[in-house]
Amino acid sequence: MLDKVIDRLHDPAVYALPAMALLIVIEMLALKYGDDQDGRPGYDLRDHRASILTGIGALVSSTTLRTVALALYLLVYEYVAPGTCPPARG
C-alpha cells in the first residue's frame, strides 16, 4: 500500500492541480459571498490582465528559447556529430 502512495508522489501535479483548482473556487466563493467590510473589490480587471499577460509572456519566451536551443542542437548534430569527424590516426 505504501508503494502505491510513493509511486504517486513522484508526480506532484497529480495533487497540485486539483488543489489549485479547489483553492481558486474557494477564493471565488469568498469574494462573492464574503463579508466585505473595507469596501475594496477582490480582483480588478487590471489584475486579471497583468496575470494573463505574464503567463503568455512566460509561455512565448520559453517556447522561443526552446526553439533556439533545438536549432543549435540540430546544427551541432549535423556538423559536429561524432560520425562526421575523421578517424584519429595513430
Side-chain angles (χ1 to χ4, degrees):
M1 180 173 152
L2 187 59
D3 293 337
K4 291 181 183 178
V5 173
I6 291 174
D7 287 339
R8 294 184 102 191
L9 288 177
H10 290 294
D11 188 13
V14 171
Y15 298 106
L17 292 176
M20 186 68 180
L22 178 66
L23 290 173
I24 289 172
V25 168
I26 290 172
E27 185 177 9
M28 288 172 57
L29 291 173
L31 287 173
K32 184 171 184 173
Y33 298 111
D35 189 13
D36 191 19
Q37 294 181 3
D38 58 358
R40 293 185 300 177
Y43 282 113
D44 192 14
L45 179 62
R46 293 178 298 173
D47 293 333
H48 290 295
R49 185 175 43 225
S51 179
I52 290 171
L53 288 175
T54 300
I56 290 172
L59 182 66
V60 167
S61 66
S62 174
T63 303
T64 303
L65 289 175
R66 288 175 186 232
T67 303
V68 168
L70 178 63
L72 289 174
Y73 287 137
L74 288 173
L75 285 172
V76 167
Y77 180 77
E78 186 67 31
Y79 296 106
V80 190
T84 61
C85 294
R89 297 179 191 235

